[in-house]
Amino acid sequence: MEISEKNKIMLEKIEKLMSEIATLAAKNADEAEALRIKYLGKKGDITALMNDFRNVPAEQKREIGQKLNVLKTAAQDKINELKEAAEVQKNAGSSVDLTRTPYPISLGSRHPLTIVKNEIVDIFSRLGFTLAEGPEVEDDWHVYSSMNFADDHPARDMQDTFFVESHPDIILRSHTSSVQARVMEKTQPPIRVICPGRVYRNEAISARAHCFFHQVEGLYIDKNVSFTDLKQVLLLFAQEMFGPDTKIRLRPSYFPFTEPSAEMDISCHLCGGKGCSFCKHTGWVEILGCGMVDPAVLEANGIDSSIYTGYAFGMGIERITNLKYQVKDLRMFSENDIRFLDEFTSAN
Ligand code: PHE
């Protein structure tokens, strides 16, 4: 009688635990594990019942044993279920990015002018030039006066320069020499900079001219800088850009900020210098302007011209790009025609 009373209590406990198990919940894997320990661990409630089961008399073992087994399996299944659910939730939080678009986005390509600009900057940076940039809206001093343009120089004329209305002194820069002026006023030599950027000139838009284009200008100032240094650097640039067989030719020219000044041609890389319609049968194509920095420019920018000399050069990126890719119409560069842009690919 006493034994069966004990068994009654045991059956009640089994039933109570059965209904408890059905309602278990866990917010994460740790909570699920805590439940496992509470019910199925060494000192767990169900384990304790299993231990008590040893004292159940043989004739009642069958009934109680079955119920105990059902309870144990139900507890194991429930806790495994909770652990799995916690795992799925954790993965959703860490590695599944719900903000990602379900379709791949194509990356497009760089603009041809950017590709060529990067190439030019890369060649000169290997020669020790560092990058300098400045504002596109400039004052007259940095674009013209500091560059030795006389007050009545025709380049200041309305024909060339865009003025910001009501501010006759504020203009859109017409060359990136203004960046060189800004570097010189802040730094003493040695100076070795390369200045890429957009420039503006008041010209009618056609296949051969635009009201804005892009330049890269370079400046090197130090003691004993000579024309030979300039020529050597430009030869190296031309051969890196257009191939090792490229030749250069310098023709005397004039710029207000350089003395002496020159324009540089390269041997036509389409016909190898033999003469074709591209080089107008001369075998040469013009690519840049250059010269020794006029001492007046050094002085105007706070550099002692009795100690230092320097050279400068400037080229149009559109011009170099045309030579490399034979783009016939300048307007193609700014019309964003995807069929044109898709023709260019770049690794960087
Ligand atoms: N600033 C000149 C231009 O815009 C280019 C140039 C730069 C020429 C430096 C000589 C030296 O045309």
Side-chain angles (χ1 to χ4, degrees):
M1 183 67 211
E2 212 207 317
I3 295 168
S4 72
E5 186 59 29
K6 261 194 187 167
N7 289 347
K8 228 177 113 191
I9 296 173
M10 202 163 171
L11 284 169
E12 273 171 15
K13 274 191 188 166
I14 291 174
E15 236 146 82
K16 188 172 156 270
L17 283 172
M18 256 326 250
S19 47
E20 240 180 78
I21 294 291
T23 60
L24 293 184
K27 281 198 217 73
N28 51 45
D30 285 349
E31 282 189 24
E33 175 61 10
L35 290 174
R36 190 192 64 80
I37 293 168
K38 178 173 189 299
Y39 292 100
L40 299 165
K42 257 191 195 153
K43 294 176 184 163
D45 297 350
I46 295 174
T47 316
L49 280 182
M50 299 297 247
N51 291 338
D52 289 349
F53 179 68
R54 276 187 234 124
N55 306 324
V56 172
E59 66 273 18
Q60 287 164 347
K61 265 203 157 87
R62 197 177 139 86
E63 190 198 348
I64 296 187
Q66 261 177 3
K67 295 208 164 163
L68 255 182
N69 273 337
V70 172
L71 172 67
K72 194 179 170 192
T73 314
Q76 275 168 344
D77 288 352
K78 181 73 187 181
I79 287 164
N80 285 342
E81 196 181 293
L82 292 176
K83 281 192 174 172
E84 268 168 41
E87 190 66 19
V88 169
Q89 216 178 13
K90 190 174 135 222
N91 285 343
S94 65
S95 64
V96 180
D97 180 0
L98 296 176
T99 63
R100 273 183 68 173
T101 50
Y103 46 85
I105 299 172
S106 78
L107 278 179
S109 58
R110 288 211 191 280
H111 193 280
L113 294 177
T114 308
I115 296 173
V116 172
K117 182 197 82 177
N118 288 348
E119 225 176 313
I120 299 171
V121 170
D122 183 58
I123 293 169
F124 284 105
S125 54
R126 277 187 265 135
L127 293 169
F129 286 78
T130 51
L131 201 70
E133 283 176 315
E136 292 179 19
V137 181
E138 261 292 4
D139 50 33
D140 179 278
W141 168 258
H142 290 97
V143 179
Y144 294 129
S145 298
S146 71
M147 285 290 142
N148 203 32
F149 281 78
D151 284 345
D152 56 356
H153 193 283
R156 294 171 186 248
D157 197 286
M158 297 294 282
Q159 304 249 317
D160 262 316
T161 308
F162 282 115
F163 293 84
V164 173
E165 231 175 306
S166 76
H167 286 281
D169 194 41
I170 307 294
I171 58 180
L172 296 183
R173 66 182 180 193
S174 56
H175 56 180
T176 53
S177 302
S178 55
V179 182
Q180 308 183 354
R182 286 188 176 274
V183 171
M184 283 188 274
E185 74 186 3
K186 280 201 296 294
T187 335
Q188 280 299 305
I191 292 173
R192 191 155 31 181
V193 288
I194 189 101
C195 318
R198 179 173 290 180
V199 299
Y200 301 83
R201 290 185 194 175
N202 193 356
E203 300 207 27
I205 296 170
S206 71
R208 314 184 113 252
H210 212 294
C211 59
F212 67 81
F213 60 100
H214 301 79
Q215 279 191 326
V216 176
E217 294 206 1
L219 174 72
Y220 178 32
I221 304 172
D222 204 345
K223 288 176 186 154
N224 302 318
V225 176
S226 73
F227 204 92
T228 321
D229 301 319
L230 171 63
K231 208 175 153 185
Q232 198 56 42
V233 157
L234 293 180
L235 174 64
L236 194 133
F237 164 71
Q239 294 184 336
E240 287 285 306
M241 197 73 197
F242 295 102
D245 297 330
T246 310
K247 295 184 187 59
I248 62 167
R249 169 174 93 168
L250 290 159
R251 287 176 287 103
S253 185
Y254 172 78
F255 299 103
F257 33 87
T258 46
E259 182 57 38
S261 306
E263 263 166 289
M264 188 176 99
D265 300 338
I266 57 165
S267 51
C268 178
H269 66 297
L270 287 189
C271 61
K274 285 192 208 77
C276 64
S277 61
F278 187 74
C279 59
K280 299 194 187 86
H281 304 283
T282 62
W284 297 96
V285 283
E286 186 196 321
I287 65 159
L288 56 80
C290 59
M292 300 305 292
V293 181
D294 194 307
V297 172
L298 294 177
E299 293 296 334
N301 289 287
I303 290 170
D304 190 339
S305 64
S306 66
I307 303 175
Y308 297 108
T309 50
Y311 64 69
F313 55 86
M315 66 190 96
I317 302 178
E318 278 81 350
R319 173 106 187 119
I320 306 281
T321 311
N322 283 348
L323 292 178
K324 280 201 87 138
Y325 298 107
Q326 287 94 54
V327 179
K328 298 245 156 46
D329 189 332
L330 262 185
R331 290 170 290 197
M332 300 289 270
F333 288 126
S334 48
E335 279 172 358
N336 284 336
D337 185 331
I338 212 83
R339 290 166 303 178
F340 170 70
L341 297 174
D342 267 349
E343 289 181 35
F344 301 88
T345 51
S346 152
N348 48 37

